[in-house]
Amino acid sequence: MDGTRARAYRDAMPEWLAIEVFDAEVPASAWRRAYEDALIEAALTHGADTWEWHVTRWGVVLEVGFDTDEHLERFRRLPVVRAALDAVPDPVSGLLVYRGRGGGAGASVPRRPRPRPVAGAASLPVPPPDDYVGNHLFAADLTGDPELVPVGAAQ
C-alpha cells in the first residue's frame, strides 16, 4: 500500500450525537428556539465541527458531529446540555438521545420516493381467451351469433 491509502485508514471518523425532541402540548420547535443558541455554542466550544437541525412531522432533530469520542462525552456532561434536555416538552417519552445520525439512516444517499398510486392505476380486466381451431384463430361473433367467425374475415 502506498502512504496515501495507509493514512486513509487512520483518519478519524466523526462521532455523531443525535437529539430527537418530540412534539407534545408545546411544539418541539418552541424548545428549539429557546435552546438552539446555547446548545450550538456549547457544541462549538467543546469540539464540535458540524451540526444540523432537521424538522420532522413529529418534532425536531439536532445532529452534532465531533472529532473525537472525548469531545462528544464532554458535551453531553455539560450543565447547559442537561438543562436543555430536562426542559423538553415531554420529558417522559418525548426525548431520544443516541449516537449516530438521526432517523436511523444507514445510507448516505436518501432513497428515491416510490411513485404514488393514482386513480387510474387499477389493473384492467383480463379479456376472455381466444379459441383456436386447427391453424386458424377464431373469436366469438360480437353480434351474439354463437358460430365462430375467423378473425379478420369479412362478414
Side-chain angles (χ1 to χ4, degrees):
M1 283 182 129
D2 63 355
T4 306
R5 283 189 163 181
R7 188 175 58 243
Y9 286 110
R10 286 180 274 161
D11 287 345
M13 294 290 293
E15 299 287 335
W16 287 93
L17 179 70
I19 300 171
E20 285 194 52
V21 179
F22 302 118
D23 291 327
E25 290 181 14
V26 176
S29 59
W31 175 86
R32 174 188 174 179
R33 285 190 301 274
Y35 292 96
E36 177 176 27
D37 293 336
L39 287 171
I40 299 305
E41 180 183 348
L44 291 176
T45 57
H46 288 84
D49 56 1
T50 185
W51 76 92
E52 292 181 27
W53 282 98
H54 303 281
V55 178
T56 62
R57 293 186 318 270
W58 56 87
V60 295
V61 180
L62 170 61
E63 298 173 339
V64 186
F66 295 89
D67 288 335
T68 65
D69 188 45
E70 293 79 25
H71 289 144
L72 185 146
E73 289 301 325
R74 188 172 48 188
F75 171 75
R76 285 184 70 174
R77 289 191 303 263
L78 290 173
V80 68
V81 174
R82 290 183 182 208
L85 297 181
D86 288 342
V88 297
D90 182 7
V92 175
S93 58
L95 174 67
L96 294 175
V97 179
Y98 52 90
R99 289 178 177 264
R101 302 290 305 256
S108 60
V109 178
R111 290 186 276 172
R112 289 181 284 162
R114 293 182 179 172
R116 290 185 176 181
V118 294
S123 61
L124 296 173
V126 178
D130 292 330
D131 296 323
Y132 289 93
V133 178
N135 290 339
H136 300 287
L137 175 66
F138 290 86
D141 183 11
L142 298 176
T143 61
D145 190 5
E147 218 177 281
L148 295 179
V149 180
V151 174
Q155 295 183 6

